[in-house]
Amino acid sequence: MSDNGFEPQITAFMCIYCGYMAADTAGALRIPYPANVKLVKLPCTGKTDPRYILQAFEEGADGVYVVACPVGNCHHVRGNERGYARVQRTKKLLDAIGLGGERLEMFFMSGGQGQAFADAAKEMTERIRSLGPSPIKERVNELTG
Amino acid sequence: MIIGEQKPLEEIKELIGDARKVLVAGCGTCVAVCSAGGEREAQILASALRLAFQVDGNSREVTEATVQRQCEWEYIDPLAEQVAESDVVVSLACGIGVQTLVERFPEAWIVPGLNTTFLGMPQEQGIWVERCQACGQCILGVTAGICPIARCSKQLLNGPCGGSHDGKCEVNPDIECAWHLIYERLRKLGKLELMLRFQPAKDWSVSRDGGPRRIVREDLRVLPET
């Protein structure tokens, strides 16, 4: 638990190649990363869809990020670049919604970079912790008491 | 096909106003192909609206439904029940689809979620370009299949103006000079004599200047019951 008592719920979409392998490497190397990050596998980050991201927020995520292969090293050649373009568009949509585009981010890393995976999880957890809970969740809590 | 672009979320929220039950209606034809108003975009908009209203502290019921084509009666009839249950329908079809819904469901409040932009084609993935203005009197047969009405900024009929420079239009260097394209294509095809054919002033009465247009085909009409 953080000092302010807020432990953010974070959804991380990752490709089954570098992204998921990096998570696996972090585990194999016993590198700790925040447990509040829930992983969702994509066949490639080229499958990143604003619908998935918005659904994660609708279901209570405080933050979302996407983990892809390094640019130039995508298993599907340029899927990660397509995913990046969609993340950028969805950030603008989140700004228009009022949630704030900074609750969404994208990271690029190779399968061997377990430390980079853990760093991304920590960076997002810290960022979302400082932003506070998603306004969606706050509203739901107000209604349900 | 008809190309459209989604309105900003803020404008759509204003159009929705205080309505509690919102139906986002997608169209699976032209606007789906230009990624502005198809099933995917309807789902994204419905989700975005639910989130935005929650952030505002004013949750609404936002659902979505997409039909294959919003500009024909038989395709929109299945929406009747959902339209009747909604306080407002945000149509993601072109302006034609919006008005077809309005005419079919006169009791419903229908608002546009798109700006219908032009008649065109996808030049490449993610880029759409204008190709036709539905002027009512096609001259592509004498202009090498390149339309100076839709693609010349001045809609000139007899060659380029002085603002054509290195094949680009003076209005914007991103616009190709239509008459330069026509000349080059006629030259390559050995039909440059067509450049010399004088085009008289265009009859704009068959375009928008003649008011709203209508076509009647008696051979296709359903005969009235006797």
mmCIF file of all heavy atoms in Angstrom, chain B residues 1 3-4 33-35 118 120-131 174:
data_model
loop_
_atom_site.group_PDB
_atom_site.id
_atom_site.type_symbol
_atom_site.label_atom_id
_atom_site.label_comp_id
_atom_site.label_asym_id
_atom_site.label_seq_id
_atom_site.Cartn_x
_atom_site.Cartn_y
_atom_site.Cartn_z
ATOM 1 N N MET B 1 -17.237 6.205 -52.616
ATOM 2 C CA MET B 1 -18.101 6.080 -51.454
ATOM 3 C C MET B 1 -18.177 7.418 -50.708
ATOM 4 O O MET B 1 -17.458 8.346 -51.029
ATOM 5 C CB MET B 1 -17.544 5.001 -50.518
ATOM 6 C CG MET B 1 -16.191 5.335 -49.947
ATOM 7 S SD MET B 1 -15.583 3.981 -48.940
ATOM 8 C CE MET B 1 -14.024 4.634 -48.425
ATOM 9 N N ILE B 3 -17.497 9.737 -47.682
ATOM 10 C CA ILE B 3 -16.480 9.818 -46.638
ATOM 11 C C ILE B 3 -16.981 10.749 -45.531
ATOM 12 O O ILE B 3 -17.506 11.830 -45.811
ATOM 13 C CB ILE B 3 -15.150 10.386 -47.205
ATOM 14 C CG1 ILE B 3 -14.749 9.677 -48.507
ATOM 15 C CG2 ILE B 3 -14.037 10.295 -46.163
ATOM 16 C CD1 ILE B 3 -14.365 8.255 -48.380
ATOM 17 N N GLY B 4 -16.798 10.325 -44.322
ATOM 18 C CA GLY B 4 -17.206 11.149 -43.187
ATOM 19 C C GLY B 4 -16.135 11.164 -42.112
ATOM 20 O O GLY B 4 -15.161 10.404 -42.170
ATOM 21 N N VAL B 33 -16.280 1.671 -44.012
ATOM 22 C CA VAL B 33 -15.042 1.503 -44.783
ATOM 23 C C VAL B 33 -14.078 2.656 -44.506
ATOM 24 O O VAL B 33 -12.863 2.469 -44.490
ATOM 25 C CB VAL B 33 -15.359 1.399 -46.294
ATOM 26 C CG1 VAL B 33 -14.084 1.221 -47.107
ATOM 27 C CG2 VAL B 33 -16.311 0.242 -46.561
ATOM 28 N N CYS B 34 -14.611 3.857 -44.253
ATOM 29 C CA CYS B 34 -13.696 4.973 -43.953
ATOM 30 C C CYS B 34 -13.506 5.130 -42.440
ATOM 31 O O CYS B 34 -13.039 6.175 -41.982
ATOM 32 C CB CYS B 34 -14.143 6.270 -44.615
ATOM 33 S SG CYS B 34 -15.661 6.968 -43.984
ATOM 34 N N SER B 35 -13.829 4.058 -41.693
ATOM 35 C CA SER B 35 -13.528 3.993 -40.258
ATOM 36 C C SER B 35 -14.051 5.196 -39.481
ATOM 37 O O SER B 35 -13.380 5.690 -38.571
ATOM 38 C CB SER B 35 -12.012 3.849 -40.031
ATOM 39 O OG SER B 35 -11.561 2.654 -40.582
ATOM 40 N N PHE B 118 -17.132 14.193 -47.961
ATOM 41 C CA PHE B 118 -17.087 14.248 -49.439
ATOM 42 C C PHE B 118 -17.300 12.867 -50.043
ATOM 43 O O PHE B 118 -17.383 11.872 -49.320
ATOM 44 C CB PHE B 118 -15.766 14.857 -49.933
ATOM 45 C CG PHE B 118 -14.510 14.199 -49.397
ATOM 46 C CD1 PHE B 118 -14.040 13.005 -49.921
ATOM 47 C CD2 PHE B 118 -13.775 14.792 -48.370
ATOM 48 C CE1 PHE B 118 -12.877 12.409 -49.442
ATOM 49 C CE2 PHE B 118 -12.615 14.209 -47.869
ATOM 50 C CZ PHE B 118 -12.169 13.006 -48.415
ATOM 51 N N GLY B 120 -15.538 10.156 -52.181
ATOM 52 C CA GLY B 120 -14.155 9.891 -52.551
ATOM 53 C C GLY B 120 -13.755 8.451 -52.405
ATOM 54 O O GLY B 120 -14.601 7.553 -52.432
ATOM 55 N N MET B 121 -12.466 8.249 -52.249
ATOM 56 C CA MET B 121 -11.916 6.895 -52.187
ATOM 57 C C MET B 121 -10.731 6.855 -51.220
ATOM 58 O O MET B 121 -10.113 7.883 -50.950
ATOM 59 C CB MET B 121 -11.443 6.457 -53.572
ATOM 60 C CG MET B 121 -10.430 7.413 -54.157
ATOM 61 S SD MET B 121 -9.662 6.823 -55.649
ATOM 62 C CE MET B 121 -8.340 5.824 -55.001
ATOM 63 N N PRO B 122 -10.440 5.657 -50.700
ATOM 64 C CA PRO B 122 -9.228 5.548 -49.892
ATOM 65 C C PRO B 122 -8.014 5.464 -50.811
ATOM 66 O O PRO B 122 -7.861 4.504 -51.544
ATOM 67 C CB PRO B 122 -9.427 4.240 -49.111
ATOM 68 C CG PRO B 122 -10.483 3.477 -49.832
ATOM 69 C CD PRO B 122 -11.181 4.395 -50.781
ATOM 70 N N GLN B 123 -7.191 6.508 -50.788
ATOM 71 C CA GLN B 123 -6.008 6.532 -51.668
ATOM 72 C C GLN B 123 -4.990 5.521 -51.177
ATOM 73 O O GLN B 123 -4.329 4.855 -51.950
ATOM 74 C CB GLN B 123 -5.413 7.933 -51.673
ATOM 75 C CG GLN B 123 -4.395 8.145 -52.767
ATOM 76 C CD GLN B 123 -3.938 9.572 -52.812
ATOM 77 O OE1 GLN B 123 -3.711 10.195 -51.775
ATOM 78 N NE2 GLN B 123 -3.806 10.115 -53.997
ATOM 79 N N GLU B 124 -4.862 5.452 -49.853
ATOM 80 C CA GLU B 124 -4.091 4.402 -49.203
ATOM 81 C C GLU B 124 -4.688 4.253 -47.811
ATOM 82 O O GLU B 124 -5.541 5.047 -47.410
ATOM 83 C CB GLU B 124 -2.599 4.755 -49.131
ATOM 84 C CG GLU B 124 -2.306 6.006 -48.344
ATOM 85 C CD GLU B 124 -0.810 6.320 -48.274
ATOM 86 O OE1 GLU B 124 -0.267 6.880 -49.246
ATOM 87 O OE2 GLU B 124 -0.211 6.007 -47.228
ATOM 88 N N GLN B 125 -4.259 3.224 -47.080
ATOM 89 C CA GLN B 125 -4.818 3.002 -45.748
ATOM 90 C C GLN B 125 -4.674 4.262 -44.901
ATOM 91 O O GLN B 125 -3.568 4.766 -44.706
ATOM 92 C CB GLN B 125 -4.065 1.829 -45.093
ATOM 93 C CG GLN B 125 -4.608 1.415 -43.754
ATOM 94 C CD GLN B 125 -5.927 0.677 -43.863
ATOM 95 O OE1 GLN B 125 -6.288 0.156 -44.905
ATOM 96 N NE2 GLN B 125 -6.657 0.630 -42.771
ATOM 97 N N GLY B 126 -5.805 4.815 -44.480
ATOM 98 C CA GLY B 126 -5.756 5.989 -43.610
ATOM 99 C C GLY B 126 -5.795 7.324 -44.335
ATOM 100 O O GLY B 126 -5.775 8.367 -43.691
ATOM 101 N N ILE B 127 -5.845 7.320 -45.672
ATOM 102 C CA ILE B 127 -5.917 8.580 -46.418
ATOM 103 C C ILE B 127 -7.073 8.493 -47.422
ATOM 104 O O ILE B 127 -7.121 7.577 -48.238
ATOM 105 C CB ILE B 127 -4.600 8.890 -47.167
ATOM 106 C CG1 ILE B 127 -3.453 9.068 -46.164
ATOM 107 C CG2 ILE B 127 -4.755 10.140 -48.044
ATOM 108 C CD1 ILE B 127 -2.117 9.359 -46.810
ATOM 109 N N TRP B 128 -7.992 9.458 -47.326
ATOM 110 C CA TRP B 128 -9.145 9.487 -48.228
ATOM 111 C C TRP B 128 -9.102 10.764 -49.043
ATOM 112 O O TRP B 128 -8.735 11.817 -48.531
ATOM 113 C CB TRP B 128 -10.450 9.421 -47.426
ATOM 114 C CG TRP B 128 -10.610 8.102 -46.728
ATOM 115 C CD1 TRP B 128 -11.184 6.976 -47.232
ATOM 116 C CD2 TRP B 128 -10.163 7.759 -45.407
ATOM 117 N NE1 TRP B 128 -11.119 5.945 -46.303
ATOM 118 C CE2 TRP B 128 -10.508 6.401 -45.181
ATOM 119 C CE3 TRP B 128 -9.511 8.466 -44.402
ATOM 120 C CZ2 TRP B 128 -10.219 5.751 -43.988
ATOM 121 C CZ3 TRP B 128 -9.208 7.812 -43.211
ATOM 122 C CH2 TRP B 128 -9.563 6.473 -43.012
ATOM 123 N N VAL B 129 -9.475 10.644 -50.313
ATOM 124 C CA VAL B 129 -9.395 11.811 -51.202
ATOM 125 C C VAL B 129 -10.700 11.981 -51.967
ATOM 126 O O VAL B 129 -11.401 11.008 -52.267
ATOM 127 C CB VAL B 129 -8.217 11.671 -52.194
ATOM 128 C CG1 VAL B 129 -6.888 11.867 -51.484
ATOM 129 C CG2 VAL B 129 -8.240 10.329 -52.902
ATOM 130 N N GLU B 130 -11.007 13.238 -52.274
ATOM 131 C CA GLU B 130 -12.249 13.560 -52.964
ATOM 132 C C GLU B 130 -12.118 13.280 -54.456
ATOM 133 O O GLU B 130 -11.102 13.586 -55.067
ATOM 134 C CB GLU B 130 -12.579 15.049 -52.735
ATOM 135 C CG GLU B 130 -13.919 15.442 -53.298
ATOM 136 C CD GLU B 130 -14.410 16.767 -52.736
ATOM 137 O OE1 GLU B 130 -13.572 17.528 -52.203
ATOM 138 O OE2 GLU B 130 -15.625 17.023 -52.818
ATOM 139 N N ARG B 131 -13.175 12.684 -55.036
ATOM 140 C CA ARG B 131 -13.119 12.345 -56.447
ATOM 141 C C ARG B 131 -14.356 12.758 -57.240
ATOM 142 O O ARG B 131 -14.330 12.733 -58.461
ATOM 143 C CB ARG B 131 -12.897 10.827 -56.618
ATOM 144 C CG ARG B 131 -11.483 10.355 -56.269
ATOM 145 C CD ARG B 131 -10.483 10.841 -57.306
ATOM 146 N NE ARG B 131 -9.125 10.415 -57.012
ATOM 147 C CZ ARG B 131 -8.225 11.161 -56.389
ATOM 148 N NH1 ARG B 131 -8.549 12.370 -55.973
ATOM 149 N NH2 ARG B 131 -7.006 10.714 -56.171
ATOM 150 N N ASP B 174 -0.224 20.669 -51.415
ATOM 151 C CA ASP B 174 -0.565 19.247 -51.304
ATOM 152 C C ASP B 174 -1.606 18.830 -52.343
ATOM 153 O O ASP B 174 -1.866 17.643 -52.524
ATOM 154 C CB ASP B 174 -1.123 18.938 -49.903
ATOM 155 C CG ASP B 174 -0.059 19.050 -48.829
ATOM 156 O OD1 ASP B 174 1.138 18.895 -49.176
ATOM 157 O OD2 ASP B 174 -0.405 19.301 -47.664
#
